[in-house]
Amino acid sequence: MNDILRIAVQKSGRLSEDSFALIRECGVDFQNGIGQLKAQATNFAAEFLLLRDDDIPGYVADGVADIGIVGENVMAEKGKNVEIAHRLGFSKCRLSIAIPKNEEYRGVKGLEGKNIATSYPRILQHYLAENKVTADIHEISGSVEIAPSIGLAEAICDLVSSGSTLFTNGLKEVETIFRSEAVLIKQKNLPEGKLALLNKLLFRIKSVQNARKNKYILLNAPKDKIEEIRNLLPGMRSPSIMELADKNWVSMHSVINENDFWDVIEALRGAGAEGILVIPIEKMIL
Ligand code: ATP
Ligand code: MG
């Protein structure tokens, strides 16, 4: 009954800040000393292993860690025996093929026989094989985007988010071969006690994610517009309605989704709502 969930997290890099922020928003506290490779949670049966992201899938597959947060690109590249427990929605990026800006792109078949530099040989090979293209894959571990300018390769396959790194290196993106986001991975056969801890953590993660996607909204509505406004507010069940001192008006409270936020606000104003307040939600339990 003294199970501890061992969670592998990137020590420092593009995943770290959002990973730690999510863990803390789940109410799990830990002391993180500089240079430390392990950290104990103070209020949850968990321990953090702070690692290079490349090592996370292997550690989880081998059972050194029980779960881990890693980019789906790294999970796919390593090909370890792990499974996705939950998608986390941050660190979104894509793995793309790029060629020098001034070269004409003749489609994926045009890559036949070319040298392509990448840190993702497995995903690239899979993509090329699917498209029946044979190319020479050069595996390099970093600074892939300079490979064409130093004559190491004719094309590259690398991670892109805005495309500005490609642009500054005189390259253009021509094919997206993989889309990635941070994922929570788990070892396939977690014992029951650890699974219970994982489920407890997942419940918290989902309520944090739901809260981020939604906003609490308060507004004043003329009494004769209640039905019309109510139809515009989905709410968790239905909106709360409170009397105001002015008997012709009520205050209505509800929750709206970020995706259709501005459309709903405009429709509410159109229907006669006034004094609209929108407030962030910290946790949302459905
Ligand atoms: P480590 O030192 O741990 O090996 P790294 O240098 O290999 O780190 P990072 O650059 O920190 O890796 O990127 C980690 C992950 O963040 C990537 O595998 C990818 O999933 C995601 N990522 C990479 N580039 C971007 C980007 N430009 N925008 C958003 N997410 C990204
Ligand atoms: Mg790495």
Side-chain angles (χ1 to χ4, degrees):
M1 277 287 83
N2 291 325
D3 278 316
I4 288 231
L5 193 64
R6 272 167 305 173
I7 309 175
V9 182
Q10 188 189 28
K11 183 171 167 47
S12 73
R14 292 179 194 263
L15 292 164
S16 313
E17 197 178 306
D18 286 339
S19 302
F20 291 128
L22 178 65
I23 290 162
R24 291 203 197 276
E25 277 184 73
C26 287
V28 178
D29 293 328
F30 57 93
Q31 302 285 331
N32 184 13
I34 293 168
Q36 226 171 283
L37 300 178
K38 247 170 54 167
Q40 204 80 34
T42 52
N43 58 356
F44 194 93
E47 180 176 77
F48 297 93
L49 306 182
L50 308 172
L51 305 167
R52 295 259 335 247
D53 69 341
D54 312 66
D55 297 330
I56 293 176
Y59 275 34
V60 172
D62 296 345
V64 175
D66 303 309
I67 62 171
I69 298 178
V70 76
E72 206 176 344
N73 53 313
V74 171
M75 171 186 156
E77 181 59 32
K78 299 294 169 190
K80 300 285 183 187
N81 190 26
V82 295
E83 60 191 20
I84 295 182
H86 195 61
R87 302 189 158 271
L88 299 174
F90 58 82
S91 291
K92 284 195 173 161
C93 58
R94 54 192 188 273
L95 188 62
S96 292
I97 296 175
I99 62 171
K101 247 191 287 220
N102 44 19
E103 263 176 41
E104 195 190 331
Y105 182 62
R106 295 193 178 80
V108 58
K109 299 283 183 214
L111 297 168
E112 182 73 34
K114 294 258 161 88
N115 274 317
I116 311 177
T118 188
S119 309
Y120 294 88
R122 185 190 179 102
I123 301 177
L124 177 58
Q125 180 51 46
H126 184 257
Y127 174 81
L128 293 175
E130 250 181 4
N131 286 282
K132 303 192 170 48
V133 169
T134 309
D136 203 355
I137 299 179
H138 264 265
E139 182 177 357
I140 49 179
S141 60
S143 305
V144 173
E145 61 285 348
I146 62 160
S149 63
I150 59 170
L152 186 69
E154 294 154 286
I156 67 158
C157 173
D158 203 9
L159 291 178
V160 183
S161 56
S162 69
S164 61
T165 310
L166 291 182
F167 187 79
T168 50
N169 284 284
L171 300 169
K172 64 178 175 190
E173 188 176 358
V174 292
E175 250 5 294
T176 296
I177 70 167
F178 191 89
R179 290 189 185 276
S180 180
E181 66 183 279
V183 287
L184 187 75
I185 55 171
K186 70 182 272 283
Q187 196 205 310
K188 282 212 171 135
N189 300 305
L190 280 183
E192 216 172 293
K194 288 184 187 268
L195 208 53
L197 288 170
L198 171 60
N199 286 333
K200 192 167 155 177
L201 188 64
L202 281 174
F203 178 80
R204 296 189 189 187
I205 289 174
K206 286 172 193 166
S207 65
V208 169
Q209 287 179 326
N210 285 332
R212 286 180 185 168
K213 275 187 279 180
N214 291 281
K215 303 266 183 251
Y216 192 79
I217 180 168
L218 302 87
L219 56 87
N220 292 332
K223 258 193 179 152
D224 58 345
K225 293 291 170 77
I226 290 178
E227 268 318 300
E228 190 179 337
I229 288 177
R230 188 188 158 160
N231 290 332
L232 296 170
L233 291 173
M236 286 174 80
R237 196 172 293 276
S238 73
S240 315
I241 299 182
M242 271 163 260
E243 294 280 349
L244 293 182
D246 179 341
K247 291 292 170 217
N248 295 320
W249 288 75
V250 293
S251 168
M252 297 177 74
H253 298 199
S254 190
V255 169
I256 56 175
N257 192 286
E258 205 175 51
N259 292 333
D260 31 61
F261 180 79
W262 287 110
D263 292 337
V264 174
I265 298 285
E266 276 162 30
L268 290 170
R269 275 165 48 83
E274 287 182 9
I276 303 173
L277 297 180
V278 177
I279 301 170
I281 300 171
E282 194 178 297
K283 304 281 188 299
M284 186 161 159
I285 321 292
L286 295 175

